[in-house]
PDB file of all heavy atoms in Angstrom:
ATOM      1  N   GLY A 117     -53.694 -55.106  47.839  1.00  0.00           N
ATOM      2  CA  GLY A 117     -54.275 -55.240  46.586  1.00  0.00           C
ATOM      3  C   GLY A 117     -54.014 -56.523  45.791  1.00  0.00           C
ATOM      4  O   GLY A 117     -54.520 -56.604  44.639  1.00  0.00           O
ATOM      5  N   THR A 118     -53.382 -57.389  46.403  1.00  0.00           N
ATOM      6  CA  THR A 118     -53.024 -58.733  45.617  1.00  0.00           C
ATOM      7  C   THR A 118     -52.669 -59.759  46.588  1.00  0.00           C
ATOM      8  O   THR A 118     -52.447 -59.554  47.800  1.00  0.00           O
ATOM      9  CB  THR A 118     -51.884 -58.559  44.614  1.00  0.00           C
ATOM     10  OG1 THR A 118     -51.742 -59.651  43.788  1.00  0.00           O
ATOM     11  CG2 THR A 118     -50.528 -58.213  45.374  1.00  0.00           C
ATOM     12  N   PHE A 159     -43.979 -54.307  43.532  1.00  0.00           N
ATOM     13  CA  PHE A 159     -44.721 -52.988  43.466  1.00  0.00           C
ATOM     14  C   PHE A 159     -46.141 -53.253  42.873  1.00  0.00           C
ATOM     15  O   PHE A 159     -46.432 -54.263  42.214  1.00  0.00           O
ATOM     16  CB  PHE A 159     -44.112 -52.011  42.619  1.00  0.00           C
ATOM     17  CG  PHE A 159     -42.555 -51.784  42.823  1.00  0.00           C
ATOM     18  CD1 PHE A 159     -41.553 -52.454  42.328  1.00  0.00           C
ATOM     19  CD2 PHE A 159     -42.242 -50.775  43.824  1.00  0.00           C
ATOM     20  CE1 PHE A 159     -40.229 -52.219  42.563  1.00  0.00           C
ATOM     21  CE2 PHE A 159     -40.857 -50.573  44.102  1.00  0.00           C
ATOM     22  CZ  PHE A 159     -39.966 -51.308  43.541  1.00  0.00           C
ATOM     23  N   MET A 160     -47.055 -52.228  43.090  1.00  0.00           N
ATOM     24  CA  MET A 160     -48.253 -52.309  42.354  1.00  0.00           C
ATOM     25  C   MET A 160     -48.332 -51.171  41.339  1.00  0.00           C
ATOM     26  O   MET A 160     -47.953 -50.025  41.627  1.00  0.00           O
ATOM     27  CB  MET A 160     -49.373 -52.110  43.398  1.00  0.00           C
ATOM     28  CG  MET A 160     -49.698 -53.119  44.226  1.00  0.00           C
ATOM     29  SD  MET A 160     -50.319 -54.708  43.468  1.00  0.00           S
ATOM     30  CE  MET A 160     -51.927 -54.236  42.975  1.00  0.00           C
ATOM     31  N   VAL A 161     -48.368 -51.651  39.970  1.00  0.00           N
ATOM     32  CA  VAL A 161     -48.318 -50.616  38.905  1.00  0.00           C
ATOM     33  C   VAL A 161     -49.690 -50.893  38.089  1.00  0.00           C
ATOM     34  O   VAL A 161     -49.872 -51.941  37.625  1.00  0.00           O
ATOM     35  CB  VAL A 161     -47.182 -50.826  37.974  1.00  0.00           C
ATOM     36  CG1 VAL A 161     -47.150 -49.891  36.898  1.00  0.00           C
ATOM     37  CG2 VAL A 161     -45.852 -50.794  38.872  1.00  0.00           C
ATOM     38  N   PHE A 162     -50.467 -49.850  38.044  1.00  0.00           N
ATOM     39  CA  PHE A 162     -51.798 -49.879  37.379  1.00  0.00           C
ATOM     40  C   PHE A 162     -52.598 -51.080  37.875  1.00  0.00           C
ATOM     41  O   PHE A 162     -53.167 -51.850  37.164  1.00  0.00           O
ATOM     42  CB  PHE A 162     -51.584 -50.022  35.886  1.00  0.00           C
ATOM     43  CG  PHE A 162     -50.849 -48.983  35.252  1.00  0.00           C
ATOM     44  CD1 PHE A 162     -49.649 -48.995  34.695  1.00  0.00           C
ATOM     45  CD2 PHE A 162     -51.574 -47.672  35.063  1.00  0.00           C
ATOM     46  CE1 PHE A 162     -49.093 -47.974  34.013  1.00  0.00           C
ATOM     47  CE2 PHE A 162     -50.918 -46.498  34.501  1.00  0.00           C
ATOM     48  CZ  PHE A 162     -49.694 -46.790  34.005  1.00  0.00           C
ATOM     49  N   ARG A 163     -52.644 -51.100  39.244  1.00  0.00           N
ATOM     50  CA  ARG A 163     -53.402 -52.145  40.002  1.00  0.00           C
ATOM     51  C   ARG A 163     -52.996 -53.622  39.676  1.00  0.00           C
ATOM     52  O   ARG A 163     -53.772 -54.620  40.052  1.00  0.00           O
ATOM     53  CB  ARG A 163     -54.917 -51.998  39.614  1.00  0.00           C
ATOM     54  CG  ARG A 163     -55.567 -50.675  40.086  1.00  0.00           C
ATOM     55  CD  ARG A 163     -56.980 -50.580  39.686  1.00  0.00           C
ATOM     56  NE  ARG A 163     -57.531 -49.294  40.023  1.00  0.00           N
ATOM     57  CZ  ARG A 163     -58.823 -49.009  39.934  1.00  0.00           C
ATOM     58  NH1 ARG A 163     -59.598 -49.865  39.431  1.00  0.00           N
ATOM     59  NH2 ARG A 163     -59.131 -47.815  40.175  1.00  0.00           N
ATOM     60  N   HIS A 164     -51.758 -53.748  39.215  1.00  0.00           N
ATOM     61  CA  HIS A 164     -51.181 -55.168  39.078  1.00  0.00           C
ATOM     62  C   HIS A 164     -49.786 -55.279  39.752  1.00  0.00           C
ATOM     63  O   HIS A 164     -49.073 -54.238  39.622  1.00  0.00           O
ATOM     64  CB  HIS A 164     -51.125 -55.444  37.512  1.00  0.00           C
ATOM     65  CG  HIS A 164     -52.473 -55.513  36.857  1.00  0.00           C
ATOM     66  ND1 HIS A 164     -53.319 -56.546  37.052  1.00  0.00           N
ATOM     67  CD2 HIS A 164     -53.091 -54.571  35.944  1.00  0.00           C
ATOM     68  CE1 HIS A 164     -54.409 -56.338  36.152  1.00  0.00           C
ATOM     69  NE2 HIS A 164     -54.178 -55.178  35.669  1.00  0.00           N
ATOM     70  N   PRO A 165     -49.442 -56.269  40.298  1.00  0.00           N
ATOM     71  CA  PRO A 165     -48.265 -56.438  40.854  1.00  0.00           C
ATOM     72  C   PRO A 165     -47.074 -56.673  39.885  1.00  0.00           C
ATOM     73  O   PRO A 165     -47.262 -57.273  38.828  1.00  0.00           O
ATOM     74  CB  PRO A 165     -48.362 -57.861  41.664  1.00  0.00           C
ATOM     75  CG  PRO A 165     -49.400 -58.554  40.966  1.00  0.00           C
ATOM     76  CD  PRO A 165     -50.351 -57.656  40.471  1.00  0.00           C
ATOM     77  N   ASN A 185     -49.875 -59.000  35.124  1.00  0.00           N
ATOM     78  CA  ASN A 185     -50.960 -58.882  34.213  1.00  0.00           C
ATOM     79  C   ASN A 185     -50.869 -59.382  32.855  1.00  0.00           C
ATOM     80  O   ASN A 185     -51.773 -59.830  32.180  1.00  0.00           O
ATOM     81  CB  ASN A 185     -51.343 -57.376  34.136  1.00  0.00           C
ATOM     82  CG  ASN A 185     -50.179 -56.502  33.593  1.00  0.00           C
ATOM     83  OD1 ASN A 185     -49.057 -56.957  33.711  1.00  0.00           O
ATOM     84  ND2 ASN A 185     -50.695 -55.456  32.932  1.00  0.00           N
TER      85      ASN A 185
END
Side-chain angles (χ1 to χ4, degrees):
T118 186
F159 307 92
M160 290 296 289
V161 180
F162 298 113
R163 300 183 180 180
H164 295 285
N185 61 332

